[in-house]
Amino acid sequence: MWVRGGRRPAGPGRRLCWLLCCSALLSPAAGYVIVSSVSWAVPSEADEELDSASAEEAVPALLQDSGGIWQRSFPASAHGEDAHLPPRAGPARARPPPAPPGMFSYRRQSGPRLRPSTARVLAHASAWGCLATGSAPEQIPGLPFGSCVPISDGPLNNSTGIPYFYVTPKDPVVANLMKNPMASLLLPESEGEFCRKNIVDPEDPRCARLTLTGQVMAVSPEEVEFAKQAMFSRHPVMRKWPRQYEWFFMKMRIEHIWLQKWYGELADISREEYFKAVPRKA
């Protein structure tokens, strides 16, 4: 039948041909799903690793190439869109080596022999720490009272492992220590470069933390000169602090050493091992 304009309406054959052309153009995208506009493109070498490795192990491989937004589905059950697709044919490939140390996948070398030296590294590298004391005010008697304080265990070329402080009697922490000298000092690994070099947040649980507990007391007159070198060499601005605040030096007589590394692991280091150890590079 002819219609106005002399053109015959499109029949079923033309419609089918048009659909076949569209499907041919879209066929290269089979087996792919778009997960987000900022997804990583997965290299072909990582296909097999994604099926068996955990998400933590897979992330470094994903970061190797950011050239596209299409990501191979892994596995079909994860997305469901390609569950009907047949398995891909092709020669078996050798399993790639594990991803190099990086985000989410590194584990620091550690052991009983390395723990004391790691603790000494943290004590020497830390320029500040979190000091927890028993509260003296009547409103919260005996409750933990925390404060961030500058510290030093000695000049850069002379690590003693003993934290020194430069404080004023007007500081509530000092008032607490005068009533109860027992305190805990937390030294996080955020002062070092190990976690940053491994692309890990310094506050990540896998970064080490050192806790020293003991009595904090005023430095004896014979030790004041060394305490001054220890603090002023690491914190030169202290020399200019107002003198009317009656600054003086204190130090901690360490009784217990606790090193926490990885997820919840806690090591009790003896004083003998701690002071015998030589600080090593983190």
Side-chain angles (χ1 to χ4, degrees):
M1 176 182 295
W2 293 92
V3 296
R4 184 180 300 177
R7 294 183 181 179
R8 184 186 300 273
R14 290 189 177 182
R15 295 176 180 173
L16 179 60
C17 181
W18 183 81
L19 291 175
L20 289 176
C21 291
C22 291
S23 63
L25 291 174
L26 295 176
S27 60
Y32 289 80
V33 292
I34 185 166
V35 293
S36 81
S37 60
V38 293
S39 299
W40 297 287
V42 179
S44 58
E45 292 79 8
D47 281 346
E48 294 182 2
E49 189 174 359
L50 289 173
D51 292 334
S52 58
S54 65
E56 292 187 348
E57 296 171 341
V59 169
L62 296 180
L63 294 178
Q64 292 175 3
D65 180 14
S66 58
I69 64 173
W70 290 98
Q71 179 176 340
R72 192 71 178 175
S73 55
F74 55 95
S77 59
H79 297 288
E81 288 88 341
D82 57 349
H84 63 284
L85 297 176
R88 292 181 297 133
R93 295 193 300 269
R95 187 177 183 85
M103 185 166 57
F104 303 118
S105 62
Y106 87 95
R107 185 179 179 92
R108 192 165 177 183
Q109 297 295 327
S110 63
R113 292 184 296 106
L114 300 179
R115 290 168 184 164
S117 58
T118 300
R120 287 293 301 273
V121 166
L122 292 177
H124 189 53
S126 297
W128 62 273
C130 299
L131 187 66
T133 58
S135 180
E138 297 180 357
Q139 297 88 336
I140 48 172
L143 294 181
F145 188 91
S147 180
C148 292
V149 295
I151 70 161
S152 173
D153 82 326
L156 290 176
N157 60 349
N158 187 7
S159 170
T160 65
I162 301 173
Y164 287 86
F165 311 91
Y166 192 48
V167 295
T168 170
K170 301 181 183 298
D171 192 328
V173 170
V174 176
N176 295 341
L177 292 171
M178 293 302 177
K179 186 173 182 179
N180 180 6
M182 293 301 299
S184 294
L185 178 66
L186 172 65
L187 304 178
E189 198 172 16
S190 59
E191 286 291 290
E193 295 295 327
F194 179 82
C195 290
R196 291 188 179 93
K197 288 180 180 178
N198 285 275
I199 325 177
V200 177
D201 191 318
E203 306 302 326
D204 191 284
R206 289 163 291 186
C207 293
R209 285 143 290 167
L210 177 66
T211 300
L212 305 174
T213 61
Q215 297 186 43
V216 179
M217 60 190 66
V219 169
S220 63
E222 297 80 12
E223 202 174 356
V224 167
E225 188 59 33
F226 179 82
K228 183 183 298 184
Q229 294 178 9
M231 294 300 298
F232 292 175
S233 64
R234 305 288 290 274
H235 308 277
V237 70
M238 288 181 172
R239 297 178 181 271
K240 300 180 181 180
W241 284 0
R243 295 188 177 182
Q244 63 266 29
Y245 284 86
E246 302 176 349
W247 303 95
F248 68 102
F249 296 97
M250 300 186 78
K251 71 174 183 178
M252 174 179 281
R253 189 172 70 183
I254 300 173
E255 298 182 5
H256 299 283
I257 302 103
W258 306 94
L259 180 66
Q260 187 172 356
K261 300 173 65 177
W262 209 245
Y263 293 102
E265 297 180 4
L266 188 65
D268 182 6
I269 302 172
S270 67
R271 294 179 71 257
E272 180 181 1
E273 292 177 320
Y274 176 77
F275 287 110
K276 184 179 179 181
V278 176
R280 61 179 180 82
K281 290 186 177 182

